[in-house]
Amino acid sequence: AQKITQTQPGMFVQEKEAVTLDCTYDTSDPSYGLFWYKQPSSGEMIFLIYQGSYDQQNATEGRYSLNFQKARKSANLVISASQLGDSAMYFCAMRGYIKAAGNKLTFGGGTRVLVKP
Amino acid sequence: SQTIHQWPATLVQPVGSPLSLECTVEGTSNPNLYWYRQAAGRGLQLLFYSVGIGQISSEVPQNLSASRPQDRQFILSSKKLLLSDSGFYLCAWKPTVNSPLHFGNGTRLTVT
């Protein structure tokens, strides 16, 4: 079974500062992928960044970076230089590639980020 | 280009009424398709997924069912809606094994 935990239900961040969103996971799958999605108030799910379990380097996409610590089973998202448009719900998700049938994506409960001007 | 369409965007239905939400994908063939539900302020819960025509896997026992009558069409149904069926329903598809899920714009269902 796969489990994703996001312990921060909500947080404020000052505009232009960096923010770290926590994500821990649990899986018995030897090969897996970790994803972060952004959900603004409109409801759409926007893919942000991906990290494979065997990737040697932490993933980066523009202002987004993923702090992947495999031994700790954590995949925290770092947003640098926060902008007002970053205010949204953020979801961590995981997919197992060997044991999980159907390549299902399991989501955490989400973290709501509000950027203050 | 590859796109996913989901409708309707919003729906208000009385308890006990039937439901049919439709999702179609364009620009690809034999995609994996998924239905998720999101309760207000919560994470996404996988309801059904399909790896091919007529192949449906259910993740959570519930009042809902899914069907895939065509390769790029995925339908979520209910014969009699319950109040607890209210939520935000998202259809998603995945182009390749390693790619992220691409989501439709969602259907906000309110059961009254």
Side-chain angles (χ1 to χ4, degrees):
Chain A
Q2 301 174 155
K3 186 176 181 181
I4 293 279
T5 303
Q6 294 179 253
T7 57
Q8 306 153 308
M11 54 198 309
F12 289 100
V13 59
Q14 199 66 40
E15 191 179 10
K16 299 181 184 178
E17 291 185 351
V19 61
T20 298
L21 308 183
D22 296 340
C23 172
T24 58
Y25 60 91
D26 193 19
T27 181
S28 59
D29 213 308
S31 178
Y32 51 90
L34 296 153
F35 304 78
W36 277 92
Y37 283 83
K38 172 185 178 181
Q39 186 181 43
S41 58
S42 61
E44 60 183 313
M45 292 288 286
I46 303 169
F47 165 70
L48 296 177
I49 195 167
Y50 166 80
Q51 178 84 45
S53 60
Y54 286 104
D55 291 344
Q56 295 297 316
Q57 293 186 327
N58 286 344
T60 60
E61 287 287 347
R63 293 188 298 111
Y64 304 109
S65 59
L66 203 153
N67 184 6
F68 180 47
Q69 299 186 44
K70 193 172 183 178
R72 293 187 175 184
K73 293 190 175 181
S74 74
N76 298 341
L77 177 71
V78 179
I79 306 174
S80 62
S82 296
Q83 302 172 357
L84 296 179
D86 293 334
S87 295
M89 281 287 286
Y90 289 83
F91 292 98
C92 181
M94 181 178 68
R95 171 191 297 154
Y97 292 124
I98 307 297
K99 296 184 178 181
N103 288 302
K104 299 171 290 185
L105 208 57
T106 301
F107 284 82
T111 296
R112 183 172 298 280
V113 173
L114 289 177
V115 180
K116 298 185 293 184
Chain B
S1 63
Q2 300 163 331
T3 56
I4 181 169
H5 301 281
Q6 186 180 343
W7 67 93
T10 59
L11 192 60
V12 180
Q13 292 283 101
V15 168
S17 65
L19 173 74
S20 180
L21 303 181
E22 188 164 342
C23 171
T24 60
V25 181
E26 296 179 356
T28 187
S29 60
N30 197 33
N32 281 14
L33 296 170
Y34 306 82
W35 277 112
Y36 283 86
R37 177 171 60 197
Q38 183 180 27
R42 306 290 295 276
L44 278 69
Q45 179 188 36
L46 179 62
L47 302 176
F48 301 94
Y49 69 93
S50 171
V51 299
I53 296 175
Q55 301 178 61
I56 308 295
S57 296
S58 174
E59 288 293 299
V60 181
Q62 58 211 319
N63 184 43
L64 302 169
S65 62
S67 62
R68 186 167 177 177
Q70 300 180 42
D71 181 42
R72 290 168 289 176
Q73 185 184 31
F74 204 21
I75 298 172
L76 183 69
S77 305
S78 173
K79 292 183 179 179
K80 290 185 177 181
L81 283 168
L82 306 172
L83 287 175
S84 57
D85 292 325
S86 293
F88 190 52
Y89 289 82
L90 288 153
C91 180
W93 74 288
K94 184 170 64 64
T96 64
V97 172
N98 291 334
S99 65
L101 286 184
H102 296 275
F103 286 85
N105 289 332
T107 296
R108 198 165 301 279
L109 172 66
T110 304
V111 183
T112 60

